[in-house]
Amino acid sequence: MAFGRGRSERAQSEAPPPPPAPAPAQVDWHDVRTFVLGMVWRPHTPEQPGNKFGDRAIRVPMGTEEHPVNVPCAYAGSDEQTASRVPGAAFTLYEDPAQERLLCSVMGPVEEGRTLSYEVRDAAGNPLGTLHRIAGNRFTRHTWRIDQPGHPPVNGVGELASRSSVGYRAAVVAMRLLDSLPEAEGGKKPKKYRTLVWQAGEEEVMLSEASKKMTITADWLDRRLAFAFPLIGDDDKPRHGAATS
């Protein structure tokens, strides 16, 4: 009897772990902290080979290291749909995958000197705030500012401008991880994108790794303003989206 029990206990200990719990189909956007913009629902790992794709959406990384998932919280409209649904808008986000309930629209851009301004509006067309892309010069890259009514301006500055902040330390870790990545096909490493620490005075509000991954650290920042940034993108050339004029 004792031998039988020992064999049973060994079999149980060697059994494969249970499958991960199913991920939610969608999460509430109001309290999102970390998010990405993209189509990958289930990223590739050794335990789950091959990327699985879904709608282009604002997605919240969840799950485990072995079984990560990117759960949507808002869905990006195409340029064609944006132009037909919200005239004058550059980008739109929707609350549902059928894209019937508008969450917000990103207007513009409006050019004033060296600044492009993208006003973000709610579903009823009321302004929520504005993202300003301020052009650089031959020695510096462009910078960013978010104006949200009732709050101080939020400035997107390079990681070197905030060495003592938590965001700076996280940025250094992120850049080291990029340096450690294997070379891509053709012998070239992935392009290095800048990390920005977004601050209101001395308060850290948000951290952006390129315009791919965002982490909000101030509860008062309207998530829809943060969502607008990866839609616009942090590329050297500004994006106009559906607004071509």
Side-chain angles (χ1 to χ4, degrees), residues 158-200:
E159 64 260 26
L160 296 179
S162 186
R163 287 181 177 271
S164 63
S165 71
V166 174
Y168 172 72
R169 292 193 292 273
V172 170
V173 171
M175 296 308 293
R176 287 176 179 171
L177 286 174
L178 284 175
D179 285 336
S180 69
L181 290 174
E183 291 188 353
E185 185 177 354
K188 296 182 179 179
K189 282 193 173 183
K191 181 180 179 180
K192 294 181 180 179
Y193 297 95
R194 65 174 177 175
T195 297
L196 297 180
V197 179
W198 299 69
Q199 294 179 298

Side-chain angles (χ1 to χ4, degrees), residues 50 105 125 132 138 174 198 206 223 240:
S105 56
H132 304 279
R138 61 180 298 187
W198 299 69
M206 183 167 66
R223 270 46 177 176
H240 291 63

Side-chain angles (χ1 to χ4, degrees), residues 40-55:
V40 177
W41 160 259
R42 196 183 73 178
H44 167 82
T45 68
E47 286 74 19
Q48 50 185 37
N51 288 328
K52 302 298 183 184
F53 296 92
D55 297 315

